[in-house]
Amino acid sequence: MVTYVSEIDPTTLKTKKGGSASFFAEISGSIYDVSRNLCRQLNSDNGQQAEAIVMQAVKTLTWIIKAMHHNPQSCFAECKDNDEPSDNGEEEEIVSKDPILSLIVKLSNIAKNRYKDRREAVFKCFASFATSCDEGFMTPYLELMIEPLHRVITEALSEVDELRKKRRQLESDPADLANDVMQILEDRCGTDEFLKAYATVKTKAREKRDTRKREAAAEAVHDPQAAAMRKLQKHDRERKRKKRRVEERKRMRGAFGKSL
């Protein structure tokens, strides 16, 4: 796909040589369909994302976001009178209003999950979007991009045990990439806009955290059984997270050893 789109002008959806219409121009909604499939690919399980495939997806999505900007009308399928209503009308409404917003929302949601490979793939997309598009192009979507970046940085800062210190000697920390992408966004979108969006993200994160604490305290009083069950579920998620981290470290150590 990346080879195909590299031969197409994202502003006109025509081939750079010959000027013939691409299938993106001929088939309404194909741009959105391809972007959705690539997001599903980036959302695959840890360890199943080959670096070469991820980079192809990043390059293709970078082309797609430019095509969406110049051809928003081609990003969603035309509905006929006899078409049945879609089960996902809300998503289609977002696409029709702003297909780029729909794409950034998908990527941001993927990066919110605690999976290193998925997060790194999404952050590479954000960095590519910011550096390949005109300055300020991504400014309207800063908050959506900063939110998962801020989450990764905050999580990294809270992990200050010796295991993390030793691990950093063998593998890159997810927060390193997040910090790099944050710097790129600031450089490309402007310090004022970046700091404004970053402050909003931190405020929303703090409010969500305070709300969860209040709800947990209220639940412990009014429904102690549900509170106990929620605590067990939290411990189970933490156990799985630690197991996933151990597997990631083993995989990274294996890759590190092969490179020597």
Side-chain angles (χ1 to χ4, degrees), residues 106-254:
K106 282 186 175 65
L107 292 173
S108 181
N109 287 337
I110 292 172
K112 288 178 182 178
N113 295 317
R114 293 192 176 191
Y115 291 93
K116 181 175 178 289
D117 290 351
R118 298 180 189 180
R119 284 176 163 176
E120 288 189 353
V122 171
F123 295 165
K124 288 174 181 177
C125 285
F126 290 167
S128 181
F129 296 165
T131 55
S132 300
C133 299
D134 295 336
E135 289 191 14
F137 181 89
M138 301 304 298
T139 300
Y141 316 103
L142 268 175
E143 288 185 27
L144 286 168
M145 293 187 291
I146 290 175
E147 185 176 355
L149 293 166
H150 171 66
R151 179 174 298 192
V152 168
I153 293 171
T154 302
E155 289 173 359
L157 290 175
S158 66
E159 296 177 353
V160 294
D161 52 37
E162 286 299 319
L163 180 61
R164 177 172 175 266
K165 293 179 182 178
K166 293 179 181 179
R167 176 167 57 88
R168 292 193 64 176
Q169 298 174 5
L170 297 177
E171 62 176 277
S172 61
D173 194 296
D176 294 338
L177 177 59
N179 278 307
D180 290 343
V181 177
M182 292 274 267
Q183 186 60 57
I184 291 173
L185 292 176
E186 180 178 357
D187 292 343
R188 300 293 293 178
C189 298
T191 300
D192 290 343
E193 292 293 338
F194 174 82
L195 291 178
K196 187 188 302 182
Y198 196 12
T200 301
V201 168
K202 290 194 290 186
T203 299
K204 289 181 178 179
R206 184 172 60 253
E207 290 175 350
K208 286 182 180 179
R209 185 168 59 250
D210 293 343
T211 299
R212 287 196 298 268
K213 288 181 179 180
R214 288 195 300 270
E215 291 176 348
E219 186 178 53
V221 174
H222 300 292
D223 194 345
Q225 185 174 358
M229 180 63 68
R230 188 182 300 276
K231 184 175 293 187
L232 288 174
Q233 292 173 345
K234 181 179 179 180
H235 289 164
D236 184 57
R237 288 195 301 269
E238 185 66 19
R239 179 182 59 79
K240 291 180 179 179
R241 184 182 69 84
K242 290 181 179 179
K243 181 180 178 181
R244 187 170 63 248
R245 289 285 179 86
V246 170
E247 293 173 350
E248 288 177 356
R249 287 195 293 272
K250 288 181 179 178
R251 183 158 49 86
M252 290 302 297
R253 282 198 295 270

Side-chain angles (χ1 to χ4, degrees), residues 10-66:
T11 63
T12 63
L13 301 183
K14 295 181 179 180
T15 57
K16 296 176 181 178
K17 295 181 180 180
S20 57
S22 66
F23 83 87
F24 290 113
E26 295 176 343
I27 305 177
S28 298
S30 56
I31 296 177
Y32 171 72
D33 290 339
V34 172
S35 70
R36 179 178 57 189
N37 291 337
L38 288 173
C39 286
R40 288 173 178 170
Q41 176 182 311
L42 295 180
N43 199 26
S44 59
D45 293 339
N46 260 21
Q48 296 183 2
Q49 298 193 31
E51 180 67 17
I53 295 177
V54 169
M55 292 313 300
Q56 287 186 13
V58 171
K59 292 177 180 178
T60 304
L61 285 171
T62 301
W63 181 92
I64 282 176
I65 205 168
K66 296 177 183 178

